[in-house]
Amino acid sequence: MKLTYDPRYNVAYIYLKEKTTQVKTIQVSEQMNVDVAPDGTIYGIELLNVNQQLGADSQGKLIVVNEALGEYSEIQLAL
Protein backbone atom coordinates (compact mmCIF):
# COMPACT_ATOMS: atom_id res chain seq x y z
CA MET A 1 0.00 0.00 0.00
CA LYS A 2 1.22 3.50 -0.78
CA LEU A 3 -0.18 6.91 0.12
CA THR A 4 0.63 10.00 -1.93
CA TYR A 5 -0.24 13.56 -0.92
CA ASP A 6 -0.22 16.75 -2.99
CA PRO A 7 -0.35 19.79 -0.69
CA ARG A 8 -0.91 22.16 -3.65
CA TYR A 9 -4.37 20.68 -4.16
CA ASN A 10 -4.88 19.08 -0.72
CA VAL A 11 -5.47 15.69 -2.38
CA ALA A 12 -4.28 12.23 -1.32
CA TYR A 13 -4.39 8.91 -3.11
CA ILE A 14 -4.21 5.57 -1.32
CA TYR A 15 -2.86 2.89 -3.65
CA LEU A 16 -4.11 -0.50 -2.49
CA LYS A 17 -2.79 -2.33 -5.57
CA GLU A 18 -0.86 -1.36 -8.68
CA LYS A 19 -3.24 -0.88 -11.59
CA THR A 20 -2.88 -3.90 -13.87
CA THR A 21 -6.20 -3.47 -15.61
CA GLN A 22 -8.53 -0.68 -16.61
CA VAL A 23 -10.49 0.67 -13.66
CA LYS A 24 -13.73 2.56 -13.26
CA THR A 25 -13.76 5.56 -10.93
CA ILE A 26 -16.80 5.65 -8.67
CA GLN A 27 -17.63 8.90 -6.89
CA VAL A 28 -18.54 7.86 -3.34
CA SER A 29 -19.04 11.42 -2.10
CA GLU A 30 -18.00 14.95 -3.04
CA GLN A 31 -14.70 14.27 -1.31
CA MET A 32 -13.95 10.63 -2.18
CA ASN A 33 -13.47 8.59 -5.36
CA VAL A 34 -12.74 4.87 -5.53
CA ASP A 35 -11.04 3.09 -8.47
CA VAL A 36 -12.57 -0.37 -9.02
CA ALA A 37 -11.71 -3.08 -11.58
CA PRO A 38 -14.45 -5.00 -13.43
CA ASP A 39 -14.03 -7.96 -11.03
CA GLY A 40 -14.73 -5.70 -8.01
CA THR A 41 -11.10 -5.32 -6.88
CA ILE A 42 -10.48 -1.91 -5.34
CA TYR A 43 -7.24 -0.43 -6.63
CA GLY A 44 -7.21 2.93 -4.92
CA ILE A 45 -9.00 5.67 -3.06
CA GLU A 46 -8.71 9.38 -3.88
CA LEU A 47 -9.40 11.78 -1.03
CA LEU A 48 -10.20 15.42 -1.75
CA ASN A 49 -9.89 18.04 1.00
CA VAL A 50 -7.62 15.49 2.64
CA ASN A 51 -6.78 17.38 5.81
CA GLN A 52 -10.40 16.91 6.89
CA GLN A 53 -10.72 13.38 5.47
CA LEU A 54 -7.64 12.06 7.26
CA GLY A 55 -8.32 13.92 10.48
CA ALA A 56 -5.27 16.12 10.58
CA ASP A 57 -4.53 17.33 14.08
CA SER A 58 -4.90 20.98 15.05
CA GLN A 59 -1.39 21.75 13.74
CA GLY A 60 -2.12 20.36 10.27
CA LYS A 61 -0.20 17.10 10.65
CA LEU A 62 -1.23 13.62 9.67
CA ILE A 63 0.26 11.04 12.01
CA VAL A 64 0.80 7.59 10.48
CA VAL A 65 1.18 4.79 13.03
CA ASN A 66 2.47 1.26 12.46
CA GLU A 67 1.02 -0.37 15.56
CA ALA A 68 2.78 -3.68 14.92
CA LEU A 69 6.21 -2.05 15.08
CA GLY A 70 5.35 0.82 17.42
CA GLU A 71 6.61 3.33 14.85
CA TYR A 72 5.05 6.53 13.61
CA SER A 73 5.76 9.38 11.22
CA GLU A 74 4.26 12.80 10.69
CA ILE A 75 3.23 14.40 7.39
CA GLN A 76 2.56 18.14 7.23
CA LEU A 77 -0.75 18.84 5.49
CA ALA A 78 -1.95 22.06 3.89
CA LEU A 79 -3.99 24.22 6.26
Side-chain angles (χ1 to χ4, degrees):
M1 182 174 79
K2 177 172 77 171
L3 177 125
T4 60
Y5 170 63
D6 187 338
R8 296 170 297 178
Y9 302 104
N10 196 22
V11 174
Y13 192 87
I14 302 168
Y15 293 84
L16 301 174
K17 298 182 100 176
E18 290 297 321
K19 293 178 187 173
T20 57
T21 184
Q22 190 166 7
V23 297
K24 178 180 178 181
T25 301
I26 298 171
Q27 184 176 7
V28 176
S29 72
E30 289 184 13
Q31 297 185 16
M32 183 185 303
N33 298 312
V34 177
D35 289 338
V36 181
D39 67 358
T41 301
I42 298 174
Y43 279 80
I45 302 168
E46 179 183 43
L47 301 171
L48 309 173
N49 195 15
V50 75
N51 49 354
Q52 285 185 348
Q53 295 292 326
L54 295 180
D57 71 6
S58 62
Q59 297 173 343
K61 293 183 216 166
L62 169 67
I63 299 172
V64 180
V65 178
N66 180 333
E67 292 185 355
L69 299 177
E71 299 175 347
Y72 76 96
S73 60
E74 295 179 358
I75 300 169
Q76 184 66 43
L77 300 176
L79 295 176

